[in-house]
Amino acid sequence: MVSAVLDSPSTTAKPDRGPVVFAVTTGTLILTTVFVCARLTCRTFIVRKVSSDDYCIIVALVLAFGLSFAIDYGTAKGLGQHDHDISDQYWDALRRSEYAFTILYNPALMATKSSILIFYLRLSGNTQKLLRFASWTVLVIVNVAGTVLTILNIFQCNPVNAAFTNHSGRCIPLLTEFICAAPVNVVTDLAILALPLPILTSMRLPPRQKIILVFTFALGIFVTIVDVIRIYYLQRAVNDAPVSPLSGPDVAFGGTSEFSWNASLALMWSAVEVNVGITCACVLTLKPLIIRILPSMLRDPNGSERRPSGTIDKMADGGPGQATRPEADDIDAQISAMEFLTTPDMMMEENTDRSYGSVLTNTATSSSQDVSGVYFGFVNMRKPKSIIRTCTKDAIRYCTVVSMLFIIWGFSYGLLNTLSNVVAQISDMTVPETLGLTSIYFGAGYFFGPLLVGEWILRRDEHRRLGRKGKRHHHHHERSVGGFKATFMLGLCIYGIGTIIFWPSAVLTSFSGFLISNFVVGFGLAVLETAANPFIVLCGPMDYAEMRLLVAQGLQAVATVLSGLLAQKVFFNELSSATHVNSMTLLDVQWTFLAITLLCVALALFFYYMPLPEVTDAEMENSTRYLPVDPKQRSFFGLQLRTWSLALAVVAQWFYVASQETMSIFFRNLLKPSLNSQIVTPTTRDTSVKTTGYAMSTTDYLLIAHSSFAASRLLAAYMAYLSPTHPKIPQPRTILNICAVFGVITGILVVAIRPKNPNLLAIPVVAFFFFEGPMWPLIYTLGLRGQGKRTKRAAAYITMGASGPAFWPFVVYGIHQGGVGYQTAFAVVPAMMAFTCIYSLFLNLKRDARALVDARIGPEQQKKIQDRANREIELDAIMEATRRTSISEIDRFGPSSFDPEKYNIIRKLSVAMTKNRSNSDPTSVEHGEFQRSIAERI
């Protein structure tokens, strides 16, 4: 609508977007000024406390005024008109106004976002450590990125004065730079929007105040929407602009001859983004002013009728300086930030000391009052205590939720696999560069992700419990950060960042950018898999662990087929026409990646609120006592049986994934052995038609192969479901052995046969996909069996096994470069599958290993495991709750409040529980830490 109005011809036949740009920019600036003045009035005359975030908003307003004035001045000099309609006398002034805008834009955003983040820091105080850390992290990113972009804008031309004069020089295309920087704005906008939500939703407020509170913070969504609209107009403008640096005496500002016309709407929306962002930042601090003007708006109609805030009255009377305690300034600053988030009944009245504790207790720690639930203000969702205690009904619900992650990375894999081939074609990459995209995804992302981040976050609770024996802990108000849920959230965030990095890479058609994007995506998905796979394996009856993971991985394979079909038939369907192949083809896909990023943020928030069961290393160790063999018994070379099982599982996984990806990369070369000069990808321009002699195109054959891959996983899942109760159904280890052996056989057939009818060669190729389908989930599940307290670490190692494609595709390509055809070079693949067979043979031929993975935990034994976990976890909960209460009383009221009788009860419970546990159980360590913390505080 806006674009149609702006582009419609005027009565003078002289199109001009300037008037609308001027009106929108000026209107939003006036609105921003009003809100900033209201904020300063509130902070100066009502609260009487001006903080650093207020100074930042003043700086942001000054920069926004300069930015808006530059745009308004430019509209008077031709901004929004075509070049031929701009008078020669206006060109210098227009160039200078546009240059001034580019310099002021990023600092204005920096100041606005810094103000909001500093407000979050004051909001969190010393009680929300995670919010403080996240706020500091985003604050650093905002200012570092903003500074770099500002410097880049200042020195966009060489020499600098070439940007605003007719001086000859070399300049960066400005629109390209803006759209490349857009992902940073989107990511930081989403982060700023999501950071306070955990605090807001955990607070116990009257319904009216809670609605107003959430709505106020949700105004940030509008800023993100404006940013997306701005990106849309930037993309429209960049379609006609070059992406590489330009030089010469006639180079125009911005890198295009129609910059004034093309960029006018993008500049207008940039000003709207800055002005609306400042307005939203001011709304967060206006509660004291609203209370003075419209007190009934925030007062609970069913609540108390006393004055809304004793804090404000005390500040207005004497100011914070009249407080008697030396740290009163800090307390007033904390309360002034917290005050916006509290109900009148929660604010202080007469005693400053007491009210301050009340504020922190009712706000920052409200979520910890019920450690077993997640409070939304209208429903209390009970949090499960352990995966070991999960019943079948609950396990189905939890596994269904986590299976969404499998669908996400299945969709990502199919899309990125096709996209990498398109990037290679459009960017004229060499074959090693094309292979490098896959190598960085698996070889780097899946190698470093599980080991550096995935395992550390997944086991962080264990690190806190066991790895700090010599240090004191004062985290009784902190939520623990670690476990499955935290790993899911972190993996989603990393994955979302990787998908949004694709945006600038597509604009610049940059090989290094695509490498970074693939690495971050692979890293994030590896972190996700480190937690998601063991969660599915452990959540539910142990007899059906293989079935659950096969179903989840089957859904992932189905998503891969659907995303590949979507990419090949929708996004890149025009590749059959050479006239459409350019960098703009990639820009058409950027909205899909933006949608994936937004979906990742939404899923991360969903998992934050979704109660998920966790499990400790001690519980996993106790669960192994019901196995028919001891996993820690010595085997070959004195190593434990479970160590051999894990080591061989990692090796098998490494070779299996390497063979799988090698087949996918060289799929079409195998079906067309005569094309040995280059890698022929599924998206090359002749794939939309049938290849000579084939019944269908190779693209369709690839879809059939991926479909057989998914079908085999679902079929194996059904067999794993029947095997515990049907002795004649093969056990999972047998299914793995069958798949590995037939994978070797079909691989050899691909190398050996040279049929006259080329369609016959597709049979062993598709069969290879079929037999390799169930291998990943089976290796993963069997490798975790009997690992006990090492289960989480073992999951990280097995996930790391997916780094096999780091260099094996290069080996096949190197053999081909030696003068051998791809079909012969493919002999490397069945050789790798033979190494995978070693693990399945170990499980089938060694009696103890066979008994370990074939072990079935019947209903009676499963109930014993759950009962034992129930007793231990209930004792843990009692100790933790009493410990938290005792330490809190000592902190607030002094050593005299300590009740030795209550403490003796805890000690007796601890001793009783310690007797029933193994020496590796960390509860005794926790108990010792509790004793030391009590003694120190007394």
Side-chain angles (χ1 to χ4, degrees):
M1 174 67 76
V2 173
S3 179
V5 172
L6 295 176
D7 295 339
S8 60
S10 63
T11 56
T12 60
K14 180 182 178 181
D16 186 3
R17 296 171 171 174
V20 176
V21 173
F22 177 88
V24 173
T25 303
T26 305
T28 54
L29 177 63
I30 293 174
L31 179 66
T32 300
T33 305
V34 171
F35 273 86
V36 173
C37 291
R39 171 176 180 156
L40 296 179
T41 300
C42 175
R43 300 291 294 169
T44 304
F45 299 104
I46 300 179
V47 178
R48 295 188 179 182
K49 182 74 175 181
V50 179
S51 304
S52 53
D53 54 324
D54 301 310
Y55 294 117
C56 285
I57 212 67
I58 294 174
V59 174
L61 178 63
V62 173
L63 294 173
F65 177 82
L67 178 148
S68 301
F69 179 80
I71 294 178
D72 290 345
Y73 180 76
T75 58
K77 302 299 180 181
L79 181 64
Q81 300 179 20
H82 290 288
D83 287 356
H84 57 79
D85 294 326
I86 302 175
S87 175
D88 293 340
Q89 61 180 341
Y90 291 156
W91 273 109
D92 286 341
L94 179 59
R95 284 172 177 262
R96 293 178 186 275
S97 66
E98 292 170 338
Y99 181 70
F101 165 83
T102 61
I103 295 177
L104 296 174
Y105 172 71
N106 286 295
L109 285 181
M110 287 170 53
T112 303
K113 295 179 181 180
S114 296
S115 175
I116 298 175
L117 291 168
I118 293 174
F119 175 77
Y120 288 173
L121 290 173
R122 292 199 301 113
L123 183 70
S124 61
N126 294 319
T127 59
Q128 297 288 338
K129 298 296 181 62
L130 182 59
L131 176 59
R132 289 186 64 83
F133 175 78
S135 298
W136 276 114
T137 302
V138 178
L139 185 63
V140 170
I141 294 174
V142 165
N143 285 275
V144 170
T147 302
V148 171
L149 293 172
T150 301
I151 294 174
L152 193 60
N153 286 329
I154 294 174
F155 301 100
Q156 61 188 269
C157 291
N158 185 22
V160 176
N161 61 353
F164 50 86
T165 65
N166 289 325
H167 194 282
S168 176
R170 180 181 176 86
C171 296
I172 301 173
L174 198 59
L175 291 174
T176 301
E177 180 195 333
F178 277 0
I179 201 169
C180 289
V184 177
N185 286 338
V186 173
V187 171
T188 53
D189 285 345
L190 293 175
I192 291 173
L193 177 64
L195 281 178
L197 291 182
I199 291 182
L200 302 182
T201 52
S202 64
M203 292 171 56
R204 302 176 185 270
L205 297 176
R208 177 185 298 181
Q209 288 197 25
K210 192 156 194 174
I211 292 173
I212 294 175
L213 182 63
V214 174
F215 174 77
T216 301
F217 276 84
L219 289 176
I221 297 176
F222 185 63
V223 180
T224 305
I225 294 174
V226 171
D227 197 15
V228 172
I229 295 174
R230 168 181 170 269
I231 292 170
Y232 168 76
Y233 282 104
L234 278 173
Q235 179 178 336
R236 287 190 56 186
V238 84
N239 285 336
D240 299 323
V243 296
S244 58
L246 300 179
S247 60
D250 298 327
V251 63
F253 178 81
T256 174
S257 58
E258 287 290 342
F259 181 84
S260 175
W261 171 264
N262 293 332
S264 57
L265 298 182
L267 298 186
M268 179 191 73
W269 282 106
S270 298
V272 172
E273 177 191 9
V274 171
N275 293 331
V276 171
I278 296 175
T279 301
C280 292
C282 291
V283 170
L284 302 178
T285 62
L286 295 182
K287 179 186 174 182
L289 182 62
I290 295 175
I291 288 177
R292 291 297 178 93
I293 299 175
L294 298 172
S296 61
M297 181 177 178
L298 296 179
R299 180 179 292 129
D300 183 9
N302 299 321
S304 174
E305 292 297 324
R306 56 186 174 171
R307 291 189 59 83
S309 173
T311 308
I312 295 177
D313 295 337
K314 287 184 177 292
M315 289 180 178
D317 291 338
Q322 296 187 10
T324 58
R325 294 192 303 169
E327 67 272 22
D329 286 344
D330 295 336
I331 293 177
D332 287 339
Q334 296 249 3
I335 293 175
S336 62
M338 283 289 187
E339 184 177 1
F340 180 80
L341 304 181
T342 54
T343 178
D345 295 341
M346 294 161 54
M347 298 308 298
M348 66 162 99
E349 290 186 351
E350 306 207 359
N351 189 294
T352 304
D353 292 340
R354 187 160 184 170
S355 62
Y356 175 60
S358 176
V359 170
L360 295 184
T361 301
N362 285 280
T363 56
T365 63
S366 62
S367 60
S368 64
Q369 292 175 0
D370 183 4
V371 295
S372 63
V374 179
Y375 189 73
F376 286 89
F378 54 90
V379 62
N380 198 7
M381 298 177 64
R382 305 300 297 178
K383 178 182 178 181
K385 296 180 179 180
S386 173
I387 286 181
I388 302 297
R389 302 177 64 187
T390 305
C391 64
T392 303
K393 180 180 179 181
D394 291 337
I396 293 175
R397 182 171 71 252
Y398 298 135
C399 290
T400 301
V401 171
V402 176
S403 294
M404 292 190 301
L405 298 177
F406 290 83
I407 297 174
I408 287 292
W409 73 62
F411 185 86
S412 169
Y413 174 79
L415 190 60
L416 286 176
N417 187 42
T418 305
L419 180 63
S420 296
N421 297 323
V422 177
V423 169
Q425 179 182 349
I426 293 175
S427 304
D428 295 325
M429 293 182 186
T430 63
V431 173
E433 288 177 335
T434 304
L435 297 178
L437 295 178
T438 299
S439 178
I440 199 73
Y441 179 89
F442 286 100
Y446 270 81
F447 183 83
F448 293 107
L451 301 182
L452 296 183
V453 176
E455 189 267 346
W456 184 75
I457 295 295
L458 186 60
R459 298 190 67 247
R460 189 169 187 272
D461 287 342
E462 302 297 333
H463 299 322
R464 290 165 57 89
R465 187 179 295 114
L466 298 175
R468 302 287 193 270
K469 295 182 180 180
K471 297 184 179 180
R472 297 192 300 268
H473 287 286
H474 305 292
H475 301 301
H476 48 281
H477 287 309
E478 264 189 89
R479 284 187 178 185
S480 59
V481 180
F484 292 108
K485 178 186 291 190
T487 311
F488 292 156
M489 294 170 60
L490 180 62
L492 284 168
C493 292
I494 297 174
Y495 170 55
I497 292 173
T499 56
I500 203 68
I501 292 176
F502 164 79
W503 203 313
S505 305
V507 175
L508 300 175
T509 332
S510 168
F511 173 70
S512 58
F514 288 119
L515 277 180
I516 295 173
S517 177
N518 277 22
F519 168 72
V520 177
V521 167
F523 194 98
L525 291 180
V527 172
L528 273 176
E529 288 215 57
T530 303
N533 285 309
F535 184 93
I536 295 291
V537 171
L538 301 175
C539 188
M542 297 181 183
D543 292 354
Y544 299 98
E546 293 87 357
M547 182 271 294
R548 291 193 298 272
L549 190 57
L550 281 165
V551 170
Q553 291 282 357
L555 295 177
Q556 179 256 352
V558 172
T560 299
V561 173
L562 295 179
S563 63
L565 182 64
L566 183 67
Q568 295 169 9
K569 303 299 183 181
V570 178
F571 290 139
F572 307 117
N573 187 44
E574 71 275 10
L575 288 179
S576 57
S577 174
T579 59
H580 288 88
V581 180
N582 52 52
S583 61
M584 294 302 107
T585 303
L586 299 179
L587 287 180
D588 295 336
V589 194
Q590 68 184 13
W591 299 106
T592 302
F593 282 89
L594 177 61
I596 293 176
T597 300
L598 297 177
L599 178 61
C600 288
V601 174
L603 281 177
L605 289 174
F606 171 78
F607 276 106
Y608 177 84
Y609 294 111
M610 176 67 189
L612 292 178
E614 300 285 349
V615 67
T616 65
D617 289 351
E619 292 168 347
M620 290 306 306
E621 187 70 18
N622 289 332
S623 67
T624 62
R625 68 179 58 197
Y626 297 98
L627 296 175
V629 296
D630 183 8
K632 292 184 288 187
Q633 70 180 16
R634 299 296 173 178
S635 185
F636 302 118
F637 305 105
L639 297 178
Q640 295 180 5
L641 176 63
R642 63 181 180 180
T643 301
W644 273 109
S645 179
L646 175 60
L648 292 177
V650 173
V651 173
Q653 202 77 288
W654 195 75
F655 281 106
Y656 157 71
V657 179
S659 62
Q660 173 191 339
E661 290 306 310
T662 302
M663 168 63 87
S664 297
I665 292 172
F666 298 102
F667 179 84
R668 191 166 185 267
N669 297 89
L670 294 174
L671 292 185
K672 296 184 67 174
S674 60
L675 297 179
N676 291 326
S677 59
Q678 61 177 354
I679 295 179
V680 186
T681 65
T683 53
T684 45
R685 299 174 191 175
D686 62 342
T687 58
S688 61
V689 296
K690 296 180 182 179
T691 307
T692 304
Y694 283 87
M696 62 184 68
S697 67
T698 51
T699 300
D700 294 332
Y701 271 124
L702 182 61
L703 290 175
I704 292 175
H706 282 156
S707 299
S708 68
F709 183 89
S712 66
R713 285 186 170 179
L714 297 177
L715 177 61
Y718 181 68
M719 297 176 67
Y721 170 74
L722 296 177
S723 62
T725 55
H726 294 73
K728 294 184 179 180
I729 300 296
Q731 296 292 326
R733 60 173 172 82
T734 306
I735 299 175
L736 175 62
N737 196 43
I738 293 173
C739 291
V741 171
F742 276 93
V744 174
I745 294 174
T746 53
I748 294 174
L749 291 177
V750 171
V751 177
I753 65 174
R754 301 289 194 276
K756 294 182 180 180
N757 184 353
N759 291 284
L760 297 179
L761 183 60
I763 297 177
V765 171
V766 173
F768 182 87
F769 275 86
F770 178 84
F771 287 112
E772 71 175 0
M775 294 183 67
W776 167 278
L778 288 175
I779 293 173
Y780 209 110
T781 307
L782 297 175
L784 291 182
R785 187 64 64 88
Q787 294 300 321
K789 64 181 180 181
R790 306 189 309 183
T791 299
K792 294 180 181 179
R793 183 175 287 120
Y797 291 152
I798 298 177
T799 305
M800 181 269 294
S803 60
F807 66 94
W808 284 109
F810 288 98
V811 173
V812 174
Y813 175 70
I815 295 174
H816 164 68
Q817 288 297 100
V820 178
Y822 277 115
Q823 192 171 359
T824 303
F826 188 75
V828 173
V829 173
M832 290 189 290
M833 291 295 292
F835 278 98
T836 303
C837 289
I838 295 177
Y839 180 54
S840 62
L841 292 175
F842 169 79
L843 297 180
N844 283 273
L845 299 180
K846 185 169 177 55
R847 184 178 59 184
D848 292 338
R850 185 167 61 249
L852 177 66
V853 298
D854 283 353
R856 295 303 175 209
I857 308 298
E860 182 177 350
Q861 292 175 321
Q862 185 80 26
K863 188 175 185 302
K864 289 181 180 180
I865 296 175
Q866 292 178 348
D867 290 342
R868 180 180 179 85
N870 287 343
R871 292 194 302 270
E872 294 177 351
I873 293 173
E874 286 169 1
L875 288 173
D876 282 336
I878 294 172
M879 291 179 60
E880 178 64 23
T882 311
R883 173 193 309 171
R884 184 168 52 251
T885 302
S886 299
I887 295 178
S888 177
E889 289 177 356
I890 293 174
D891 285 342
R892 293 181 58 189
F893 303 110
S896 61
S897 64
F898 176 66
D899 186 355
E901 188 173 333
K902 185 186 298 184
Y903 172 68
N904 288 334
I905 294 176
I906 298 212
R907 190 168 71 177
K908 291 178 182 178
L909 288 173
S910 177
V911 171
M913 183 160 51
T914 304
K915 289 181 179 179
N916 293 327
R917 292 191 180 185
S918 63
N919 294 331
S920 61
D921 194 336
T923 306
S924 59
V925 177
E926 292 183 346
H927 175 63
E929 292 175 354
F930 175 50
Q931 286 181 316
R932 288 192 295 272
S933 62
I934 292 291
E936 290 166 358
R937 293 169 186 273
I938 295 178

